[in-house]
Amino acid sequence: LQHYFIQSNLRISYWCQCTAVTMFKLTKCSANICTRNLQTTAGLFQRVPMSKFDPETDVRDNFAKLQQNVDIVKSRLRRPLTLSEKIVYGHLDEPETADIARGESYLRLRPDRVAMQDATAQMAMLQFVASGIPQVAVPSTIHCDHLIEAQLGGDKDLSRAKDINREVYNFLSTAGAKYGAGFWKPGSGIIHQIILENYAYPGIMLIGTDSHTVNGGGLGGVFVGVGGADAVDVMAGIPWELKCPKVIGVHLTGEISAWTSPKDVILRVADILTVKGGTGAIVEYFGPGVHSLSCTGMGTICNMGAEIGATTSIFPYNERMARYLHATDRGEI
């Protein structure tokens, strides 16, 4: 294996997809870090909502279905699965019969939730209204951030956006209220950061109409940026189609030093893979070097994975993610 050094003592080893199946055999966890196996400790609680805004949901149901599907796929493929494969295949619509071939077949998936930014949400909600379906089939949210133009300063730009886009915001808020989609008004924050702080959790599959949706991989889920039509399909209860992704493993060793930031990691990966080297693949980061990265730092690396054409990127569940979930009042998950 060829090693690449980043500024100080953080070292990256790159595996191509042909060895991605066995790469996790190399991974060891320190004593205070949870293992990578799928855990269902949420059963200790009466109810664990997907978020504080979805009290009627129970994340245990999602995990139970995911585990059931993973067991079916493993019995069919007769090989170990990587983390991203467990989550992707765990959301198959028909795991018993699905054609699973990396980079070749198309998968029919059932994502857990949908997020839309205000520019693309307009047509998406119009199409959903035209479907005649009374309520969204999965938890969905609308985020008003893309129509705010940076010109004069925060307060003035926000006031201007509210005035110019008043009709759009009124439509999105009322349509969301009628059809069961959450609405984050202008000024509430950037969509991918709201997702990370409120809706992301390990094992989830979320699609969003924004390229930065992949940021959520920093919390151990599969987050994919899509077009508005894909969002409508999922909100209408129709399986979402995705070409079966290839897998690229990035092994991190060493630690982040005072002169190194998480951004240096993805910049080096981009230097190795180029702007199209991740096309059609999910990039999985693993190894002891992961534990020196903050949860938001891992999110930054996943966020910039879009620059290499990756379908998405993901990190394994670890103590940093646990701290972040507790800090954002989601410790029960």
Side-chain angles (χ1 to χ4, degrees):
L1 298 175
Q2 185 175 6
H3 298 288
Y4 300 87
F5 289 84
I6 294 184
Q7 292 190 11
S8 57
N9 62 340
L10 181 66
R11 188 173 61 194
I12 294 180
S13 300
Y14 165 68
W15 277 261
C16 66
Q17 59 175 347
C18 60
T19 58
V21 174
T22 59
M23 65 187 182
F24 290 100
K25 293 181 180 179
L26 306 176
T27 305
K28 298 290 185 181
C29 295
S30 58
N32 63 333
I33 301 295
C34 297
T35 64
R36 299 194 59 164
N37 297 328
L38 180 64
Q39 302 295 323
T40 55
T41 53
L44 298 172
F45 303 92
Q46 291 297 317
R47 180 186 287 272
V48 183
M50 292 173 65
S51 79
K52 61 184 177 182
F53 305 105
D54 306 290
E56 74 287 351
T57 63
D58 194 336
V59 76
R60 296 176 305 174
D61 298 334
N62 300 51
F63 287 153
K65 181 63 175 177
L66 190 152
Q67 183 67 71
Q68 179 183 350
N69 286 1
V70 167
D71 290 341
I72 293 172
V73 172
K74 287 181 71 175
S75 67
R76 289 183 54 204
L77 298 183
R78 298 183 180 277
R79 66 168 175 81
L81 301 179
T82 71
L83 174 61
S84 66
E85 286 183 314
K86 288 179 180 179
I87 299 175
V88 173
Y89 303 161
H91 287 83
L92 282 168
D93 182 42
E94 297 177 339
E96 301 86 355
T97 59
D99 181 15
I100 302 174
R102 287 183 183 177
E104 298 178 11
S105 64
Y106 280 84
L107 307 177
R108 291 165 58 85
L109 304 168
R110 295 282 186 179
D112 296 306
R113 71 180 310 131
V114 173
M116 299 170 284
Q117 45 97 341
D118 47 357
T120 51
Q122 299 171 55
M123 184 56 67
M125 289 307 297
L126 282 171
Q127 290 177 329
F128 184 81
V129 170
S131 72
I133 299 174
Q135 289 279 295
V136 292
V138 300
S140 305
T141 50
I142 301 167
H143 304 261
C144 297
D145 65 340
H146 277 51
L147 296 181
I148 302 173
E149 299 179 19
Q151 292 185 344
L152 304 174
D155 293 337
K156 292 181 179 179
D157 291 340
L158 178 59
S159 177
R160 180 173 177 273
K162 288 180 177 179
D163 180 53
I164 294 176
N165 304 300
R166 186 183 308 277
E167 184 177 359
V168 171
Y169 295 149
N170 286 341
F171 165 69
L172 293 177
S173 63
T174 54
K178 181 175 181 179
Y179 295 100
F183 180 76
W184 290 78
K185 64 182 181 180
S188 57
I190 298 173
I191 177 172
H192 64 269
Q193 189 62 31
I194 291 176
I195 291 173
L196 189 70
E197 295 176 3
N198 296 277
Y199 301 116
Y201 62 81
I204 190 176
M205 173 176 278
L206 181 151
I207 64 170
T209 63
D210 177 61
S211 61
H212 296 287
T213 301
V214 295
N215 179 75
L219 254 179
V222 169
F223 294 74
V224 183
V226 300
D230 293 315
V232 176
D233 284 349
V234 176
M235 289 192 296
I238 301 171
W240 170 55
E241 290 194 356
L242 173 71
K243 192 170 188 178
C244 188
K246 296 174 285 186
V247 180
I248 296 174
V250 179
H251 186 234
L252 300 179
T253 62
E255 295 182 345
I256 287 286
S257 74
W259 293 99
T260 311
S261 71
K263 185 170 66 174
D264 293 309
V265 176
I266 183 59
L267 288 176
R268 188 68 183 105
V269 171
D271 182 44
I272 297 170
L273 294 178
T274 75
V275 294
K276 61 180 181 179
T279 303
I282 294 179
V283 180
E284 294 192 29
Y285 294 87
F286 68 103
V290 167
H291 306 306
S292 68
L293 298 169
S294 67
C295 185
T296 52
M298 289 184 280
T300 296
I301 293 172
C302 292
N303 196 7
M304 293 180 65
E307 311 305 326
I308 60 174
T311 299
T312 190
S313 303
I314 189 171
F315 278 83
Y317 178 75
N318 56 58
E319 182 61 28
R320 293 300 187 96
M321 293 184 190
R323 293 181 194 173
Y324 191 84
L325 287 170
H326 279 284
T328 51
D329 299 323
R330 295 176 290 160
E332 289 186 345
I333 291 181

